Amino acid sequence: MYFSVNNLYYYYNYINLISMCMAPKKLLVTSLIRDDLTNAKLLFNLHQMGLNTSDYYLQLSDAILHLMGFKNDNYADEVYQEYRHLSEIVLHQELSSFNKSLNATADKLYNHLSQKSPNKKSCC
């Protein structure tokens, strides 16, 4: 069978798409939490330097809460506040310790959201 560069490119993207669709929800959510924490740390440090960072927040927590089964209601708002409070711990860490504890913090936040999830069966 003949594979051109374009065919291999599309095949590679197809395999990646399939693996993403088949990836466990926990892997996806913890990855989003890590990205959210990294973004929050970056924006916090830029804010400390005097820059206005309010327009650069990625709002990943909305996607995280949605994937965990939360609806747009008061309970989700309470859980969001808890999530923000728990994630603030990493903002004040030195960069070297932040990178080392990122996975553990993401797992801790995922477990917290899992326990609070309104439909625990849909969580991983």
Side-chain angles (χ1 to χ4, degrees):
M1 177 177 242
Y2 174 72
F3 286 105
S4 69
V5 173
N6 285 340
N7 286 347
L8 288 175
Y9 173 78
Y10 290 119
Y11 176 75
Y12 176 76
N13 285 337
Y14 174 75
I15 295 299
N16 282 341
L17 178 64
I18 296 297
S19 64
M20 282 175 36
C21 292
M22 295 172 56
K25 189 189 307 184
K26 181 177 181 179
L27 183 63
L28 175 62
V29 172
T30 54
S31 175
L32 287 171
I33 292 172
R34 281 193 307 273
D35 292 345
D36 190 37
L37 293 172
T38 302
N39 178 252
K41 176 73 171 166
L42 173 67
L43 295 181
F44 177 77
N45 287 341
L46 289 173
H47 181 74
Q48 293 294 93
M49 294 171 36
L51 298 171
N52 180 6
T53 59
S54 58
D55 293 335
Y56 300 105
Y57 185 68
L58 297 177
Q59 304 294 336
L60 290 175
S61 55
D62 294 343
I64 292 166
L65 291 176
H66 177 74
L67 286 169
M68 295 297 290
F70 293 96
K71 306 297 180 211
N72 194 10
D73 58 10
N74 288 338
Y75 181 66
D77 291 341
E78 291 173 23
V79 173
Y80 171 77
Q81 294 302 324
E82 293 173 11
Y83 173 84
R84 278 287 138 224
H85 178 71
L86 291 171
S87 63
E88 283 180 4
I89 296 167
V90 300
L91 298 180
H92 303 286
Q93 290 179 343
E94 292 295 322
L95 193 56
S96 60
S97 61
F98 170 79
N99 289 329
K100 292 176 185 173
S101 67
L102 188 58
N103 288 334
T105 305
D107 286 337
K108 182 188 294 186
L109 284 167
Y110 174 82
N111 291 333
H112 179 75
L113 292 175
S114 245
Q115 292 172 352
K116 298 282 186 169
S117 178
N119 51 348
K120 294 181 184 179
K121 288 184 181 179
S122 73
C123 291
C124 317

